[in-house]
Amino acid sequence: MASAAAAATGAPARASFALKQAQVPVSKISNVRSVSLPIGGRSFPSLKARRFQVSCAAKKETVDKVCQIVRKQLALPDDASVTGESKFANLGADSLDTVEIVMGLEEEFGISVEEESAQSITTVQEAADMIEKLIEK
Amino acid sequence: MILSRRVVISAMNAVCFKRSFATASSPLVPVQLPSRKEAHLWYVVPDEVKSSALLHNYLDILSPSEKENVFHKRGEQLQKAALLARVLVRTTIARYQINGQVDPRSLKFKKNIHGKPELEWNDDQCQCAPSLQFNISHTSSLILCGVTVDSLIGVDLEEKQRKLKNNILAFARRYFTPHEVKFLSSISDPVVQQQYFVKLWTLKESYVKALGKGFSGLPFRMFTIQFRTAEKGNSCPSGETNNKGEIIVKSLEDVNSFSSNWQFALLELAGSHYAAICMEKDEAVEGEVPTPMKLTVRKTIPYVRDELISGPDAFVISGLT
């Protein structure tokens, strides 16, 4: 993923969009909306691409922030790898940790997560996806 | 409540185990089923299980998917706790020998709609098997399994000194009921307040686990846990150990009711943990004077050593009046 590559090379977070797009596999991107602006009856592919890039960048920042909150809650060592696929339970989170993580995400992103949804947040990516969904509302 | 005095059960030659472990000297010691109002608690202290050969043999007891779950955990300590949790569940259930000798490896489990694990028996076993109920909880330093016959049970463990990353009252305001927030706010000593937070959390967890619903199935703000001392009718933090008091649960949906078919016990285990036990009351005594829950606590290293435990390693803080 682009985030891992950036971290490894020490590249600053604000890489060019074109570079990011090339590095991130399309299949890993969820919740991508392509917007076509009909002008003179035709849609413009370049505008679709820009929208794609914006969604991609937002997701990375969200995932990174979730990773940060998870690291802090579970007091993970710096060399512990935490990615979108990381399952909270496998990192050592028990039910109280998970609820604290959700509370941390609520405060960080200004959202409200129903308790009923809490059990569907088992990985970093799932948390990021839920955040994106709630922010869009 | 009744706890037996401390007894060490040495290796018994009652049952032959088909496959003997290289390092273990005794087979799984069988035990009688708990009675209708009784819960058996079994616990393992991971730090006391040091032999890598024994751990290797334990791995053999697990199903392929359980093994996979263990290996997905990050780091040795988490893997060991996950392994011991499954070993404790399988070996504990196997001791009750419901249909004769049971190989722990042969047990099958399924999950209910909320994800609570349950035993799955074959058709031919189903007829005569009494309904063994179990629930498990663990931290990195203690594994606990509770077993009953026919009564739903939920157990939850937490280290006594568990600290929240968030502020306790902020957390309680977000997830607990107003009554519980008020109760916690009334405790001025921060150490006692933190302890009561952990007690409330474990009791609430044990309730939703007994119901089989979990945190998402029954949000914590939908029901209140209250501590009641025997003399007064009000809830207040009671530090005295000679006045155990009662723990009750009230549904917020129906304010005037309280769930009388659930009983709770709160224990201090191994000097380091709070253990909350929630158990369905026996229907047979409905309308009569409620009889206290009976608990039998055993510490175990499966295939190595079992001990019946009483205080100070296991004593009741609240409940069971």
Side-chain angles (χ1 to χ4, degrees):
Chain A
M1 291 285 288
S3 58
T9 60
R14 292 149 136 272
S16 70
F17 281 132
L19 182 63
K20 276 195 186 164
Q21 188 182 356
Q23 285 177 336
V24 175
V26 175
S27 60
K28 297 254 181 188
I29 303 299
S30 59
N31 215 15
V32 171
R33 300 256 171 79
S34 50
V35 177
S36 56
L37 253 183
I39 294 176
R42 282 182 297 144
S43 60
F44 285 65
S46 59
L47 288 170
K48 274 192 198 171
R50 185 151 308 173
R51 178 71 178 143
F52 171 83
Q53 289 169 5
V54 170
S55 296
C56 170
K59 191 54 64 73
K60 177 194 173 321
E61 277 167 15
T62 309
V63 170
D64 285 349
K65 201 68 205 169
V66 174
C67 287
Q68 205 178 316
I69 288 169
V70 170
R71 281 181 178 284
K72 193 171 159 214
Q73 176 64 36
L74 303 180
L76 297 176
D78 289 334
D79 59 349
S81 154
V82 182
T83 67
E85 281 81 42
S86 300
K87 261 190 134 180
F88 297 156
N90 289 340
L91 294 170
D94 62 10
S95 54
L96 184 51
D97 286 313
T98 303
V99 175
E100 285 218 84
I101 287 169
V102 171
M103 187 169 166
L105 298 176
E106 287 187 331
E107 284 171 2
E108 175 68 33
F109 293 97
I111 52 174
S112 181
V113 180
E114 302 278 306
E115 279 89 316
E116 291 82 346
S117 313
Q119 81 177 3
S120 57
I121 302 179
T122 64
T123 67
V124 169
Q125 189 65 53
E126 283 170 0
D129 290 346
M130 172 155 296
I131 291 160
E132 298 276 323
K133 208 186 301 178
L134 289 169
I135 286 176
E136 268 169 30
K137 281 188 182 167
Chain B
M1 66 160 285
I2 302 157
L3 280 175
S4 305
R5 62 187 166 79
R6 192 186 199 107
V7 170
V8 175
I9 301 174
S10 54
M12 290 166 68
N13 52 10
V15 174
C16 280
F17 189 62
K18 283 174 199 158
R19 175 176 160 157
S20 58
F21 288 163
T23 53
S25 57
S26 57
L28 270 182
V29 177
V31 289
Q32 298 264 31
L33 286 165
S35 63
R36 293 199 78 83
K37 296 156 210 162
E38 185 183 11
H40 284 178
L41 302 179
W42 298 79
Y43 72 90
V44 177
V45 180
D47 283 348
E48 293 179 1
V49 184
K50 296 194 224 287
S51 159
S52 53
L54 181 61
L55 289 168
H56 195 78
N57 284 325
Y58 280 163
L59 206 49
D60 258 349
I61 300 175
L62 270 51
S63 70
S65 65
E66 287 170 345
K67 277 185 219 180
E68 216 181 289
N69 285 339
V70 167
F71 291 129
H72 278 136
K73 300 280 184 227
R74 281 301 177 78
E76 259 187 55
Q77 203 192 21
L78 288 178
Q79 289 188 1
K80 190 175 173 186
L83 167 61
L84 291 173
R86 294 316 301 162
V87 168
L88 182 61
V89 171
R90 285 180 171 274
T91 57
T92 299
I93 291 168
R95 291 173 194 268
Y96 293 103
Q97 299 202 318
I98 293 165
N99 292 300
Q101 194 181 327
V102 175
D103 183 342
R105 283 169 297 184
S106 69
L107 294 171
K108 293 212 177 355
F109 298 89
K110 59 184 176 183
K111 286 189 176 172
N112 77 358
I113 37 164
H114 293 280
K116 181 179 186 182
E118 293 168 354
L119 269 171
E120 189 171 27
W121 296 107
N122 294 335
D123 282 332
D124 53 331
Q125 290 169 315
C126 267
Q127 273 95 26
C128 42
S131 175
L132 205 61
Q133 302 290 324
F134 72 93
N135 196 234
I136 196 150
S137 179
H138 74 269
T139 65
S140 54
S141 51
L142 200 63
I143 325 275
L144 176 67
C145 181
V147 178
T148 68
V149 168
D150 286 332
S151 303
L152 293 175
I153 181 169
V155 306
D156 195 59
L157 260 187
E158 202 50 78
E159 287 173 359
K160 278 165 58 181
Q161 312 220 357
R162 175 68 181 262
K163 302 278 190 299
L164 282 187
K165 292 288 187 294
N166 293 283
N167 170 269
I168 285 176
L169 292 178
F171 186 97
R173 274 190 287 268
R174 172 64 185 86
Y175 291 109
F176 286 7
T177 64
H179 188 283
E180 289 161 343
V181 173
K182 191 173 163 195
F183 171 77
L184 287 170
S185 303
S186 72
I187 304 170
S188 50
D189 183 335
V191 172
V192 178
Q193 189 191 64
Q194 176 266 332
Q195 287 175 347
Y196 267 93
F197 172 82
V198 177
K199 290 176 186 179
L200 275 176
W201 174 268
T202 54
L203 284 163
K204 290 169 88 76
E205 270 283 288
S206 73
Y207 179 56
V208 301
K209 288 178 79 178
L211 285 165
K213 290 191 174 181
F215 182 82
S216 288
L218 179 53
F220 280 13
R221 56 184 154 72
M222 307 286 279
F223 64 93
T224 275
I225 295 281
Q226 288 182 21
F227 299 96
R228 278 195 181 165
T229 53
E231 301 125 4
K232 314 168 196 183
N234 321 318
S235 51
C236 61
S238 158
E240 306 88 32
T241 48
N242 59 348
N243 182 10
K244 301 278 193 268
E246 197 192 349
I247 301 164
I248 61 168
V249 61
K250 277 191 184 182
S251 163
L252 255 65
E253 286 169 309
D254 185 358
V255 179
N256 293 317
S257 83
F258 64 93
S259 305
S260 56
N261 41 335
W262 298 97
Q263 50 188 343
F264 294 86
L266 186 67
L267 290 86
E268 195 174 299
L269 265 190
S272 55
H273 285 71
Y274 291 134
I277 318 294
C278 177
M279 193 171 142
E280 201 179 13
K281 275 186 194 165
D282 191 2
E283 275 179 24
V285 295
E286 202 77 64
E288 296 171 11
V289 175
T291 46
M293 185 199 303
K294 180 181 163 183
L295 290 178
T296 304
V297 185
R298 291 180 179 92
K299 179 162 108 167
T300 178
I301 300 176
Y303 300 107
V304 177
R305 186 172 68 237
D306 304 327
E307 291 175 58
L308 268 172
I309 299 288
S310 59
D313 273 352
F315 64 91
V316 176
I317 308 169
S318 299
L320 309 187
T321 44

